[in-house]
Amino acid sequence: MLFIDKKGDISMYLEKIKIAQKNIEDIIVKTPLLYSNVFSENSNNNIYMKCENLQLTGAYKIRGALNKISLLSDEEKSRGVVCSSAGNHAQGVAYASSLIGVNSTIVMPKTTPYLKVESTKNYGGNVVLHGKCYDDAFLEAKRIENELGKVFIHPFDDIDVICGQGTIALEIFNDFKNFDYIICPIGGGGLISGISLAAKEINPNIKIIGVQAAGAASMKKSITNKAITTLDSVNTIADGIAVKTPGNLTFEIIKDLVDEIITVSENDIVETFLLLTEKHKLLAEASGVVSLAALRKLNVKNKNICCVISGGNIDMLTISSLINNGLVSKGRLFCFCLELRNVPGELLKISEILAKENANIVKLDHNQLKAINRIHNVQLEVTVETNGHEHIEQIINAFENESYSIKVLY
């Protein structure tokens, strides 16, 4: 055990986290802890949301970055800092560096959403785009550290960064002391490590649950294998937690202090994103909502649960894509195609069937060139608003009853 002595003492880390809180409290936002009627009813628990999507720079990462850079010596600050990040740590380092007057170089994967890249530049970071995922960016940042002598600010595998993230737990317990569970995302593991070190000392009986995307479950696999394990690849819309190799320090902390790691599917994520946006009017990035998505996998009732929404840095195109995917997943958008005879009145018949079934047409493409028999037929592609999967089945049956054969597109 790296962090817990033979008596299980982690009190020294709670003190470090309290010092971190003093280091950053004049700058960061004390984010709200909001009760959710919607997620509480859906899960049969009392669900509270710690909204780090409302934090400065749009995510919790500013906490760890600011604590780490504030603790650097004058000589280290003069050399400048470098980091690798999928976006949120990048913005945290850039913002913290600018506040303190330190030059920052930020290496980001080429797949990083536009909003995060531009925001990092606007906060004063010198952005370098390199590789396809965090791990590729990490290797480039380490090269810059070695060749140019800059101080590397690790996004998760650094005790000062971890303690900065742990200040979230202090705020949670300051607002509500009787939590049974805290659920938070895991990428490299810095967030849950900091929260665990504080929460388990404040309340040793609390359960800490980590959540990973099924397509990027490197920490879960490492815990299962009892050794740090590198994934061959990661594949998830939750880019902020798409990490192939977890941290050494975070692995040890999570192994000792985290009670369970849950994985969620892409459908779980998009449906939760839609629910949070529609019912609470809160915007969060895909990686930020996985803690809420995990509620459907948690087999407990009547518990007080805090879900950490880790960030809200999401661009408009991604928002649109997630909303559309969520609507499809929930059966609220339905797209199909069929071939019609190329004669007057056929389109009217289709419209009448949809009107009778209370399906509102969103989009319609009437294209003779797509039909198999282009001389006599035309292909019609229709997207309609629906009221769930049962409604979609009713529409399909209605067309079959009128001898139309439709092909479901999504």
Side-chain angles (χ1 to χ4, degrees):
M1 296 183 183
L2 279 180
F3 287 90
I4 307 176
D5 67 18
K6 293 179 181 179
K7 297 180 181 179
D9 184 18
I10 56 174
S11 60
M12 63 176 289
Y13 297 103
L14 179 58
E15 292 306 310
K16 279 180 169 286
I17 292 168
K18 289 180 178 178
I19 292 170
Q21 188 176 46
K22 291 292 184 183
N23 290 338
I24 68 177
E25 64 182 357
D26 291 337
I27 296 171
I28 65 154
V29 174
K30 182 183 178 296
T31 53
L33 184 69
L34 303 179
Y35 179 76
S36 170
N37 286 314
V38 175
F39 288 102
S40 294
E41 290 175 7
N42 287 352
S43 67
N44 294 312
N45 290 290
N46 302 312
I47 306 302
Y48 294 79
M49 304 178 295
K50 178 60 172 171
C51 297
E52 286 294 294
N53 54 320
L54 303 179
Q55 184 57 262
L56 284 175
T57 73
Y60 75 95
K61 289 282 192 177
I62 181 65
R63 296 173 181 266
L66 187 58
N67 186 52
K68 176 65 178 179
I69 296 172
S70 70
L71 293 171
L72 295 179
S73 67
D74 290 341
E75 186 274 333
E76 288 173 321
K77 290 175 183 175
S78 69
R79 285 154 48 195
V81 299
V82 61
C83 77
S84 52
S85 171
N88 289 334
H89 180 62
Q91 293 174 75
V93 170
Y95 187 84
S97 298
S98 295
L99 284 177
I100 298 171
V102 175
N103 179 270
S104 63
T105 299
I106 316 294
V107 186
M108 308 177 80
K110 293 179 180 178
T111 55
T112 303
Y114 173 81
L115 173 67
K116 293 183 179 181
V117 175
E118 288 303 302
S119 295
T120 303
K121 291 178 180 178
N122 292 336
Y123 288 134
N126 302 306
V127 174
V128 176
L129 297 178
H130 182 87
K132 295 181 179 180
C133 67
Y134 165 76
D135 302 79
D136 298 332
F138 170 78
L139 293 175
E140 177 64 11
K142 294 297 286 184
R143 183 193 67 78
I144 293 172
E145 175 196 28
N146 293 331
E147 292 186 7
L148 301 181
K150 293 182 179 294
V151 178
F152 182 71
I153 309 296
H154 203 287
F156 49 81
D157 214 25
D158 181 289
I159 191 58
D160 294 325
V161 171
I162 289 169
C163 287
Q165 322 304 23
T167 60
I168 293 172
L170 301 184
E171 292 181 9
I172 289 171
F173 281 104
N174 185 61
D175 287 341
F176 187 81
K177 292 181 171 58
N178 298 320
F179 278 116
D180 301 299
Y181 288 79
I182 297 177
I183 307 178
C184 64
I186 298 179
L191 173 61
I192 199 169
S193 293
I195 286 176
S196 299
L197 286 169
K200 288 285 188 175
E201 175 65 15
I202 295 170
N203 177 8
N205 295 319
I206 197 167
K207 301 293 185 183
I208 307 295
I209 307 296
V211 190
Q212 294 200 288
S218 57
M219 186 65 79
K220 183 175 177 66
K221 188 170 184 179
S222 296
I223 296 297
T224 299
N225 294 343
K226 298 181 179 180
I228 292 173
T229 304
T230 299
L231 301 179
D232 293 333
S233 62
V234 290
N235 182 21
T236 177
I237 56 175
D239 61 285
I241 55 173
V243 177
K244 289 196 292 187
T245 306
N248 294 304
L249 305 184
T250 56
F251 171 76
E252 294 294 332
I253 298 171
I254 290 169
K255 176 169 63 70
D256 288 337
L257 297 180
V258 172
D259 296 279
E260 183 182 358
I261 298 176
I262 293 171
T263 59
V264 293
S265 70
E266 303 296 277
N267 273 351
D268 292 333
I269 295 171
V270 297
E271 288 183 10
T272 303
F273 172 87
L274 181 65
L275 191 60
L276 179 68
T277 304
E278 194 168 45
K279 299 299 185 181
H280 284 291
K281 319 307 176 190
L282 284 173
L283 271 181
E285 58 197 86
S287 57
V289 303
V290 297
S291 56
L292 291 166
L295 290 171
R296 63 183 71 185
K297 306 287 184 70
L298 199 62
N299 191 26
V300 298
K301 291 184 179 180
N302 302 315
K303 299 296 183 181
N304 296 323
I305 300 175
C306 177
C307 293
V308 179
I309 302 177
S310 57
N313 288 316
I314 182 169
D315 61 80
M316 293 298 109
L317 289 175
T318 305
I319 291 171
S320 176
S321 176
L322 287 174
I323 289 174
N324 284 334
N325 286 334
L327 291 172
V328 170
S329 180
K330 298 291 284 185
R332 291 172 54 189
L333 269 185
F334 175 45
C335 183
F336 63 93
C337 68
L338 72 165
E339 286 202 8
L340 305 174
R341 290 184 303 143
N342 191 20
V343 295
E346 283 296 302
L347 187 57
L348 176 61
K349 292 179 183 178
I350 301 302
S351 179
E352 288 174 342
I353 293 172
L354 291 172
K356 185 178 180 181
E357 296 301 323
N358 294 315
N360 186 46
I361 296 175
V362 176
K363 184 179 179 182
L364 187 146
D365 181 24
H366 188 270
N367 195 329
Q368 185 176 354
L369 297 178
K370 289 184 178 180
I372 295 173
N373 185 346
R374 295 187 302 179
I375 304 297
H376 300 290
N377 291 348
V378 62
Q379 187 186 85
L380 183 68
E381 183 176 312
V382 186
T383 304
V384 293
E385 288 181 309
T386 48
N387 298 320
H389 295 289
E390 289 186 8
H391 190 200
I392 291 172
E393 287 301 316
Q394 291 173 12
I395 294 169
I396 293 172
N397 291 335
F399 277 104
E400 289 177 350
N401 291 338
E402 297 294 332
S403 299
Y404 287 104
S405 176
I406 71 172
K407 179 181 178 181
V408 175
L409 299 181
Y410 58 79

